[in-house]
Structures are given as structure tokens and as C-alpha cells.
Amino acid sequence: MNVFRLTGDLSHLAAIIILLLKIWKSRSCAGISGKSQILFAIVFTTRYLDLLTSFISLYNTCMKVIYIGCAYATVYLIYAKFRATYDGNHDSFRVEFLVVPVGGLSVLINHDFSPLEILWTFSIYLESVAILPQLFMISKTGEAETITTHYLFCLGLYRALYLFNWIWRFYFEGFFDMIAIVAGVVQTVLYCDFFYLYVTKGWFSRPYRL
Amino acid sequence: CLRTPVKDEL
């Protein structure tokens, strides 16, 4: 555990909590892509199956349980409790164009050809592109609420901090995981355009326009 | 196949 890893995890947690609270307090999921949230729920489920097979630390277990729980809670709020406010017409990204290639790639390029390892690889690849339905939705409607941009910023910052974590671990521990690093770079790059807009336009203005 | 690293990250 180093400072980049810890702040990355906390940033990820902050993003998840911000989104849950935003939907809960406003009693609306307008502007939020339910498809992205389903993809994140799939990501956490397929990655954290090792909760059943191995114990790493109390921190690790608690965070995994919180991430999974919050992901399903978010999906529940969007598709059940506040379904009436869900903007399905604008959430029109074709997720099969992500899930099918990602599934194929995880079978082809992985650390070990075993079910658990393939599912873990699938989750890493899927996470790197899971935000695309959300970004697509914002580009389609042309605006996002300020709180939604804070969510996206924390979510992007989390993977960027993980990149620094991997540089740190490579130098001080000789640790590196090529699959996670390549997917993490892709994931961070997808946020670059958004980071730029967030800093230059989204900081104080409201509502946020692209 | 690549070497499988320890999965201690989230």
C-alpha cells in the first residue's frame, strides 16, 4: 500500500458515494447512464469473485464488499426506485459493442486460461471502457449537472492515481501487471478530454456544457 | 500467457 494506491481507492469510493447520494438526495437519475452503472456492477462482480477463494486483508475485503454493494444499490435506484426519472432515450449506447469484443479479448489475452482468471481479465478490460455510455450520453445531451462532473472527475482520477501506484510498485517492489497497466492507461486516456473540460469550464460554472 | 501477479489491488 502506498499513497497513490490509497488515494486512488478513496477517490474511487468518493465517486461511487457521490453518485449514490446525488440520485438519493435529488430522487432522480436524470443524466446518469444506467448502462454504465450496469457495466460497473458486472465489473465488480466478475473481479471480486476471489472474495470466495482468497483473503488478502480486512481493508481489501471491506472495500470490495462496499464497491459491490454500492454498484448494485445504484443500479437498483436507476432501474427500480427512480425508474420514472431515468432518461433511457438518451442512454442509447450499444453496450454489446463493448461487452462482446472485451469478452473475446479476455479469452485471448490473459495471465492464465482458467475461469476465475478470465473473468478477472474481463473485468479489467470492461472497466476501462465502462464509462463510455455515460460519456456518450453527456455528448448527446450536451450537458451534465455539476455533481455528475464531480463524479466523473473522481472516477477518472482514481485510475490515474493507480497509474502512479503501478510506477511506484514497479520501482520499489518490482511488481507489474501488464494487463492492468495497459487497460488502466486506456481507461485514463478516455477521461483526458473530460479532465480538460472539467478544469477549464466545469469548475465554477453551472450547468456544465460541452 | 503472461505471469500471473498477486491480486491485492481493487
Side-chain angles (χ1 to χ4, degrees):
Chain A
M1 181 68 82
N2 57 62
V3 66
F4 300 113
R5 164 74 203 284
L6 183 63
T7 47
D9 285 348
L10 293 178
S11 176
H12 195 184
L13 186 64
I16 293 169
I17 303 281
I18 285 171
L19 185 66
L20 256 182
L21 282 180
K22 174 216 158 15
I23 296 174
W24 186 256
K25 296 263 180 190
S26 67
R27 316 204 64 78
S28 161
C29 57
I32 302 299
S33 166
K35 290 182 176 177
S36 274
Q37 295 311 313
I38 288 179
L39 292 181
F40 283 125
I42 296 172
V43 163
F44 291 139
T45 309
T46 51
R47 186 175 308 167
Y48 298 155
L49 285 173
D50 64 351
L51 275 172
L52 307 172
T53 61
S54 58
F55 178 81
I56 292 149
S57 67
L58 191 61
Y59 169 83
N60 195 281
T61 303
C62 288
M63 292 296 261
K64 284 175 175 172
V65 170
I66 292 171
Y67 285 176
I68 293 177
C70 288
Y72 280 97
T74 306
V75 169
Y76 165 75
L77 291 184
I78 295 173
Y79 285 98
K81 194 163 179 63
F82 302 126
R83 191 187 181 91
T85 62
Y86 170 56
D87 195 5
N89 288 336
H90 286 128
D91 193 12
S92 53
F93 193 93
R94 301 281 298 272
V95 286
E96 59 270 35
F97 291 152
L98 295 180
V99 174
V100 173
V102 158
L105 194 63
S106 57
V107 171
L108 290 173
I109 304 176
N110 51 54
H111 291 307
D112 180 33
F113 198 80
S114 64
L116 215 60
E117 190 63 29
I118 290 172
L119 284 172
W120 177 86
T121 311
F122 173 77
S123 84
I124 292 286
Y125 293 154
L126 186 62
E127 185 190 347
S128 68
V129 292
I131 200 61
L132 286 177
Q134 180 65 62
L135 294 177
F136 178 75
M137 193 173 180
I138 291 176
S139 71
K140 206 173 173 194
T141 57
E143 62 178 52
E145 285 180 61
T146 308
I147 192 77
T148 308
T149 68
H150 296 333
Y151 161 71
L152 283 169
F153 179 75
C154 288
L155 203 57
L157 183 64
Y158 135 69
R159 222 43 175 173
L161 286 165
Y162 257 71
L163 295 183
F164 291 106
N165 159 56
W166 290 323
I167 293 169
W168 178 284
R169 293 192 74 176
F170 179 73
Y171 277 107
F172 293 102
E173 300 169 28
F175 173 97
F176 86 103
D177 182 336
M178 193 49 90
I179 287 178
I181 292 171
V182 172
V185 169
V186 169
Q187 188 171 343
T188 307
V189 165
L190 291 181
Y191 286 87
C192 281
D193 185 42
F194 168 78
F195 282 150
Y196 175 76
L197 289 167
Y198 182 80
V199 172
T200 56
K201 291 185 181 176
W203 212 263
F204 299 112
S205 64
R206 182 179 151 86
Y208 178 90
R209 288 178 201 289
L210 289 167
Chain B
C1 282
L2 305 159
R3 184 177 60 92
T4 310
V6 185
K7 292 183 176 34
D8 58 350
E9 293 179 343
L10 293 165

